């Protein structure tokens, strides 16, 4: 794929974009001249404002016409005549919407090849996400899905396998089985070795047949173990990359085990791909409430002024699963919970939470800010970390296996299935604020959330009404990523009546109650973004380097010193060491300290 320079991809061109502001438009004979990069029909609003950064970038000024460039038709410039807009009684903005909305995508095709199609992730997440996108009319008119793996399968067998995982989870259920049939008819399979250029040539031939001479855009999803990433990229690059459209590769985690192996992986990928072609996926970035984090921060006046050490006492990132490594012990044992969850999912959320305001919502501007905040962080230290491992437990007559009872896990494994850590950002905004993380498997509940605990009210007039425990009276903002998505703010208020009794209540945005539409799976959003060349939610290589730089010294020390994890029973709240760690920083874990928790 090295032959495909980024210029042949339909790139979002975001690095060179600037926010359009109506006041920057030209005067006199000139009209606004707009290049629409990274435009997607899904984002076309009924009425646009040219200052909306996601859709429009001003690139140049031309006499008498607006030039609209769209991602699928990068080479084509579509003039939008101001006169024509006037004739139709439309604004230039409305005329742009008309023109972009009517661009035919006849000449374009997208082929999505799921490499490792026989595997768990492909079945569980990727094919269902593709179907959901198809169902929602989000895929381009001409698209083909190919499964690729070593297992022998016919097209029909692949369809059968895929059909068993497709669910009509979407609200408009009427056409589901019809839509499923139509989707499955677009799915094909090619069996081949991962390091065989010949096998990828055969794939290329089949892809071309389906592309039917249209501009060919190709997306490869590497849903395979990381040790074969480079083989696949090399073979696909030499034998199956697009010759006249873009070629992109989605890479699944783990992106290495430490700084060195991650850098080696990046070097390997870059022998065949340019950075713009690599879409490193962290599916937590595709989750609705993580996507909403920036909206919450930057579009609400009430939050951003509070978003610093001045008002925030601590921030907690909590991940828990109520099941063990069942079935994935082999993979998990050589990674452990710190690499599996903390170094990527939780750290990514932390970066979005703590970054400075980006210049714009463009991918590069956001990723620049994330890198900056990651580089301002202190590498983790062993005395700020607690590790645990779940042990067997009998509950209600059921025997829940311990981690090392799993046949795929060595009996003497000291791989952590739980970890808690205190992290610090040494910059002006966050100096001294503990950012606590906690992640564990086989705990009492499944939950992912961000908890922001605010400082005490100075000179609190109502001190006596709270009793001794003033911590209980501080405001807390909870962003529940899953399940049962919600954002709630704990406030103090007066219990109605003649006395003066204070109560803690939640101002609650409960998604299920507020929105009837089902929340899309993270993989849907991310796949669509990759198809559209939107890189905002994918990890850039320097972000990855910065993330590994924080965790690598700790991971090495844990391994070298053979730190034995504290055992906790399957289904419990995890090791008690996590409480000592938080207490060291005067913090109480929000998910277990409060009686209010029952009411969340
Ligand atoms: N499963 C999950 O929930 C998650 C997975 N991931 C990551 O996604 C990727 C895919 O995950 P998953 O589907 O679980 O992986 P699998 O272990 O199921 O592997 C996917 C496919 O790769 C092929 N394969 C497996 N092992 C080897 C090997 N040693 N050498 C060559 N080919 C092999 C197999 O296909 P065949 O034999 O037919 O060629 C298999 O069906 C991995 O990188 C994983 O870490 C990330 C997050 C969650
Ligand atoms: O990446 C991973 O994520 C899953 C949890 O994802 P979720 O979307 O179901 O919350 C985790 O189970 C797995 O160990 C890890 O590799």
């Amino acid at each position: 794929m090295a032959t495909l320079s980024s210029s042949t991809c339909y790139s979002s061109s975001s690095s060179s974009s600037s926010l359009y502001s109506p006041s920057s438009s030209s005067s006199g004979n000139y009209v606004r001249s707009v290049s629409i990069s990274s435009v997607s029909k899904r984002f076309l609003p009924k009425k646009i404002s040219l200052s909306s950064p996601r859709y429009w970038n001003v690139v140049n000024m031309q006499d008498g016409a607006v030039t609209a460039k769209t991602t699928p038709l990068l080479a084509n410039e579509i003039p939008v005549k101001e006169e024509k807009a006037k004739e139709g009684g439309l604004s230039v903005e409305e005329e742009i919407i008309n023109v972009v909305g009517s661009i035919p995508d006849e000449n374009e095709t997208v082929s999505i090849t799921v490499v490792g199609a026989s595997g768990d992730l492909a079945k569980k997440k990727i094919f269902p996400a593709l179907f959901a996108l198809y169902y929602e009319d989000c895929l381009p008119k001409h698209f083909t899905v190919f499964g690729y793996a070593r297992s022998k399968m016919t097209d029909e067998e692949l369809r059968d396998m895929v059909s068993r995982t497709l669910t009509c989870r979407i609200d408009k259920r009427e056409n589901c089985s019809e839509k499923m049939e139509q989707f499955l008819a677009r799915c094909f399979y090619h069996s081949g070795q991962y390091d065989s250029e010949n096998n990828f040539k055969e794939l290329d031939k089949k892809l071309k047949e389906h592309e039917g001479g249209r501009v060919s855009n190709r997306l490869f999803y590497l849903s395979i173990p990381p040790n074969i990433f480079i083989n696949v990229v090399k073979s696909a690059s030499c034998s199956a990359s697009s010759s006249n459209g873009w070629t992109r590769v989605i890479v699944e985690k783990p992106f290495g085990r430490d700084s060195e192996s991650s850098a080696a992986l990046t070097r390997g990928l870059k022998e065949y791909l340019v950075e713009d072609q690599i879409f490193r996926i962290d599916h937590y970035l595709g989750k609705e409430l993580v996507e909403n984090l920036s909206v919450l921060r930057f579009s609400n006046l009430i939050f951003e002024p509070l978003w610093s050490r001045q008002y925030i006492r601590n921030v907690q990132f909590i991940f828990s699963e109520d099941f063990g490594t069942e079935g994935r012990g082999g993979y998990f044992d050589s990674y452990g919970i710190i690499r599996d969850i903390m170094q990527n999912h939780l750290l990514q959320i932390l970066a979005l939470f703590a970054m400075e305001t980006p210049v714009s919502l463009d991918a590069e501007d956001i990723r620049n800010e994330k890198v900056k905040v990651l580089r301002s962080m202190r590498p983790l230290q062993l005395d700020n970390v607690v590790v645990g491992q779940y042990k067997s437990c009998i509950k209600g007559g059921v025997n829940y296996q311990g981690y090392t009872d799993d046949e795929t896990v060595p009996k003497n494994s000291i791989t952590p299935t739980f970890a808690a850590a205190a992290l610090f950002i040494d910059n002006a905004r966050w100096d001294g604020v503990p950012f606590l993380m906690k992640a564990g498997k086989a705990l009492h509940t499944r939950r992912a959330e961000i908890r922001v605990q605010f400082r005490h009210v100075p000179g609190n007039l109502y001190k006596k009404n709270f009793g001794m425990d003033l911590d209980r009276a501080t405001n807390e903002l909870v962003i529940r990523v899953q399940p049962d998505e919600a954002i709630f703010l704990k406030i103090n208020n007066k219990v109605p009546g003649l006395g003066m009794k204070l109560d803690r209540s939640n101002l609650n945005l409960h998604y299920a109650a507020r929105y009837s539409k089902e929340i899309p799976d993270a993989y849907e959003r991310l796949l669509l973004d990759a198809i559209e060349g939107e890189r905002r939610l994918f990890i850039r290589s320097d972000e990855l380097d910065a993330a590994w730089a924080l965790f690598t010294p700790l991971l090495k020390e844990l391994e070298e010193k053979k730190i034995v994890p504290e055992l906790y029973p399957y289904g419990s709240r995890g090791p008690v060491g996590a409480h000592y760690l938080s207490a060291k920083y005067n913090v109480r874990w929000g998910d277990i300290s409060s009686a209010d928790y029952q009411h969340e």
Side-chain angles (χ1 to χ4, degrees), residues 94-287:
E94 285 162 338
E95 180 62 4
I96 290 173
I97 290 174
N98 281 347
V99 170
V100 175
S102 66
I103 296 166
D105 43 14
E106 276 309 321
N107 296 329
E108 297 271 326
T109 164
V110 175
S111 305
I112 303 148
T113 302
V114 182
V115 183
S118 55
D120 181 59
L121 186 72
K123 282 187 261 193
K124 224 170 49 187
K125 292 289 185 187
I126 306 171
F127 289 115
L130 287 169
F131 171 61
L133 290 176
Y134 175 70
Y135 192 94
E136 295 275 12
D137 291 329
C138 287
L139 291 181
K141 182 171 174 200
H142 298 287
F143 78 92
T144 310
V145 176
F146 257 85
Y148 185 102
R150 296 170 307 180
S151 302
K152 300 278 176 235
M153 253 192 276
T154 61
D155 292 343
E156 265 319 311
E157 283 165 338
L158 173 90
R159 288 174 192 147
D160 185 47
M161 181 193 90
V162 171
S163 70
R164 274 184 264 131
T165 65
L166 299 186
T167 50
C168 291
R169 64 155 192 78
I170 303 159
D171 44 8
K172 320 172 254 178
R173 285 161 205 271
E174 326 75 83
N175 295 323
C176 199
S177 49
E178 199 182 313
K179 282 270 192 182
M180 265 189 198
E181 288 310 315
Q182 292 164 358
F183 173 76
L184 291 170
R186 307 272 198 109
C187 295
F188 302 87
Y189 184 74
H190 187 71
S191 164
Q193 298 298 317
Y194 297 114
D195 57 357
S196 164
E197 290 186 22
N198 277 340
N199 291 163
F200 275 90
K201 251 188 207 126
E202 292 156 11
L203 173 72
D204 180 63
K205 198 164 161 239
K206 287 188 181 173
L207 291 177
K208 281 195 173 117
E209 282 165 19
H210 288 279
E211 288 162 354
R214 297 183 185 88
V215 174
S216 117
N217 298 309
R218 294 185 179 178
L219 178 65
F220 291 86
Y221 195 125
L222 304 195
S223 182
I224 43 174
N227 58 318
I228 49 177
F229 284 170
I230 306 292
N231 286 343
V232 170
V233 166
K234 179 170 185 268
S235 313
S237 145
C238 300
S239 309
S241 56
S242 164
S243 56
N244 59 359
W246 51 253
T247 301
R248 297 181 187 140
V249 179
I250 298 183
V251 189
E252 260 295 347
K253 63 172 255 247
F255 314 118
R257 293 188 79 254
D258 50 26
S259 292
E260 293 78 23
S261 53
S262 166
L265 179 59
T266 296
R267 273 197 307 277
L269 292 173
K270 287 192 177 172
E271 277 185 42
Y272 307 101
L273 302 167
V274 294
E275 177 68 24
D276 269 3
Q277 293 177 283
I278 306 171
F279 287 69
R280 294 178 194 81
I281 204 165
D282 182 315
H283 77 280
Y284 265 64
L285 291 182
K287 297 209 182 248

Side-chain angles (χ1 to χ4, degrees), residues 435-482:
F435 283 78
L436 296 187
M437 281 185 184
K438 188 165 70 160
K441 291 196 172 268
L443 294 172
H444 72 298
T445 188
R446 175 173 175 259
R447 186 177 292 253
E449 62 190 15
I450 308 166
R451 286 179 170 262
V452 189
Q453 296 186 342
F454 290 89
R455 291 192 182 281
H456 301 118
V457 174
N460 194 335
L461 278 180
Y462 292 98
K463 215 187 232 161
K464 68 176 187 328
N465 303 78
F466 292 122
M468 297 301 282
D469 195 352
L470 277 186
D471 282 1
R472 281 267 168 100
T474 62
N475 297 119
E476 186 174 17
L477 174 68
V478 182
I479 299 166
R480 191 157 67 216
V481 175
Q482 67 184 32

